[in-house]
């Protein structure tokens, strides 16, 4: 059973100074049951509130006043890296995320990218015991000291996410759930989706659908053509306030819901999810053809660098 989570909201307004104006953030506008947030920057931790949709996060105004910019303005975050899949479609002798891609296992590409971000203060790897030394050794090679934890994979994706969520520290203001089979995610994409999650409570990278999508009946006949302008393909990372994700898991358990991604849990709570525009290069490697494409992208990236 998932644990019960109680979320309480203060009845008093919270105020923050933004430039020359005093900004009010009443409890009714705090994001999705979170009373306040302690956002991380290099030399201090400030208590801050964030408005609901439609306004800039107050903590960014505070950081601007203090002179802190860039990554240091972002909230302390934990990465939950999902690396426990089997990868049957790849037809390999080992899970696809451990196959070599341009000199190192697929999973280590995104692992290394996240470790290079200063606001990632903790990493939880969801993987089998036999593969954990791969991550330990690579972190040591990078001379990185971010706390590293390991959780066991679950039967379904949502079970693996839940197992990883159970290990995150109390200081994490956001949890970034990423599929290790997406090795090409960039620092810029991660920063953008974390910014949106800090402002709205939940955000996910996505790209607009290119092909025409049709709804088909059980016998293979077209029912209707869907409006492509409203269809987006979801990627990872998916970034969520931890208490919000815990509350969603409680609902999923109580109602026996099946969810295929992490922000779906937030959707079941009836709360909005911000889609952050990503790039088509952030592919999920699931087949040998995907491996070839990923290699080409990485080779092009290296040639430009």
């Amino acid at each position: 059973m998932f644990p019960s989570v109680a979320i309480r909201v203060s009845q008093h307004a919270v105020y923050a100074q933004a430039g020359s104006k005093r900004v009010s953030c009443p409890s009714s506008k705090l994001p999705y049951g979170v009373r306040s947030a302690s956002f991380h920057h290099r030399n201090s931790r400030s208590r801050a509130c964030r408005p609901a949709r439609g306004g800039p996060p107050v903590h960014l105004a505070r950081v601007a006043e203090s002179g802190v910019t860039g990554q240091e303005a972002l909230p302390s975050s934990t990465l939950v890296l999902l690396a426990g899949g089997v990868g049957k479609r790849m037809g390999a002798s080992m899970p696809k995320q451990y196959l070599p891609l341009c000199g190192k296992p697929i999973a280590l590409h995104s692992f290394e990218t996240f470790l290079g971000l200063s606001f990632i203060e903790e990493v939880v790897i969801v993987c089998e015991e036999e593969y954990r030394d791969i991550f330990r050794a690579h972190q040591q090679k990078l001379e990185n000291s971010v706390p590293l934890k390991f959780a066991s994979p679950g039967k379904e994706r949502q079970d693996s996410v839940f197992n990883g969520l159970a290990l995150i520290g109390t200081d994490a203001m956001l949890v970034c759930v990423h599929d290790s089979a997406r090795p090409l995610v960039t620092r810029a994409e991660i920063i953008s989706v974390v910014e949106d999650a800090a402002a709205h409570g939940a955000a996910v990278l996505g790209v607009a659908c290119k092909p025409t999508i049709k709804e088909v009946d059980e016998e293979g006949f077209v029912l209707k053509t869907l409006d492509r302008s409203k269809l987006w393909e979801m990627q990872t990372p998916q970034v969520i306030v931890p208490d919000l994700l815990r509350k969603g898991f409680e609902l999923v358990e109580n109602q026996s819901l099946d969810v295929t991604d992490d922000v779906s849990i937030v959707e079941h709570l009836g709360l909005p999810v911000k889609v952050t525009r990503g790039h088509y290069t952030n592919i999920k490697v699931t087949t040998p053809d995907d491996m070839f494409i990923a290699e080409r992208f990485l080779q092009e990236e290296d040639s430009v660098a």
Side-chain angles (χ1 to χ4, degrees):
M1 292 291 290
F2 298 124
S4 176
V5 178
I7 298 179
R8 299 179 178 85
V9 180
S10 170
Q11 297 301 313
H12 303 288
V14 181
Y15 293 91
Q17 194 74 22
S20 60
K21 296 182 180 181
R22 190 173 185 235
V23 180
S24 171
C25 184
S27 61
S28 61
K29 294 295 184 181
L30 288 172
Y32 322 131
V34 180
R35 182 169 53 201
S36 61
S38 176
F39 287 96
H40 167 76
H41 32 101
R42 188 179 300 276
N43 297 316
S44 67
R45 291 185 181 273
S46 60
R47 301 297 292 178
C49 68
R50 294 167 288 166
R53 326 172 48 166
V58 176
H59 84 278
L60 293 180
R62 287 182 170 180
V63 171
E65 289 179 356
S66 68
V68 179
T69 59
Q71 291 186 39
E72 301 305 327
L74 295 174
S76 170
S77 303
T78 292
L79 165 66
V80 173
L81 186 64
L82 303 179
V86 176
K88 294 180 180 179
R89 282 177 287 180
M90 186 64 72
S93 59
M94 67 175 68
K96 62 180 181 292
Q97 59 270 26
Y98 301 110
L99 293 174
L101 174 64
C102 293
K104 58 189 172 187
I106 291 173
L108 293 187
H109 286 271
S110 58
F111 178 59
E112 184 173 326
T113 301
F114 276 94
L115 286 182
L117 297 167
S118 61
F119 57 88
I120 299 297
E121 297 193 343
E122 178 185 51
V123 175
V124 178
I125 309 290
V126 183
C127 69
E128 300 289 356
E129 180 76 35
E130 61 191 287
Y131 297 107
R132 295 178 182 181
D133 283 343
I134 294 175
F135 298 97
R136 294 189 183 103
H138 196 66
Q139 185 185 30
Q140 185 175 8
K141 178 181 177 181
L142 296 173
E143 298 182 348
N144 181 279
S145 59
V146 170
L148 186 61
K149 302 176 183 178
F150 293 93
S152 297
K155 182 179 179 180
E156 304 293 342
R157 175 195 169 89
Q158 67 192 62
D159 303 314
S160 294
V161 174
F162 179 79
N163 292 346
L165 181 65
L167 293 184
I168 72 172
T170 57
D171 289 339
M173 303 312 303
L174 292 172
V175 56
C176 306
V177 182
H178 186 65
D179 190 333
S180 64
R182 292 187 184 270
L184 303 179
V185 67
T186 66
R187 292 187 184 187
E189 286 174 311
I190 297 167
I191 290 170
S192 292
V193 72
V194 167
E195 287 176 339
D196 281 343
H200 303 285
V204 54
L205 279 181
V207 290
C209 284
K210 291 181 178 180
T212 298
I213 306 295
K214 295 183 183 289
E215 184 178 343
V216 180
D217 65 18
E218 294 82 356
E219 297 180 355
F221 291 95
V222 173
L223 293 176
K224 62 180 178 180
T225 300
L226 302 181
D227 183 354
R228 184 173 56 186
S229 67
K230 296 180 180 179
L231 299 176
W232 285 65
E233 177 185 345
M234 297 298 97
Q235 302 177 339
T236 67
Q238 304 195 3
V239 187
I240 306 169
V241 172
D243 280 346
L244 182 60
L245 189 54
R246 294 186 185 102
K247 188 71 173 179
F249 270 121
E250 181 183 354
L251 179 67
V252 168
E253 173 69 9
N254 290 340
Q255 298 187 11
S256 300
L257 301 173
D258 288 324
V259 292
T260 56
D261 69 353
D262 315 302
V263 293
S264 294
I265 296 173
V266 179
E267 294 170 38
H268 282 299
L269 290 173
L271 300 173
V273 175
K274 174 66 174 178
V275 176
T276 304
R277 185 181 293 273
H279 295 94
Y280 292 99
T281 53
N282 184 20
I283 64 171
K284 184 174 181 179
V285 177
T286 58
T287 68
D289 287 343
D290 296 331
M291 285 284 286
F292 175 77
I293 294 170
E295 285 177 358
R296 291 295 299 270
F297 281 141
L298 287 172
Q299 289 167 357
E300 290 179 6
E301 187 177 281
D302 288 342
S303 65
V304 171

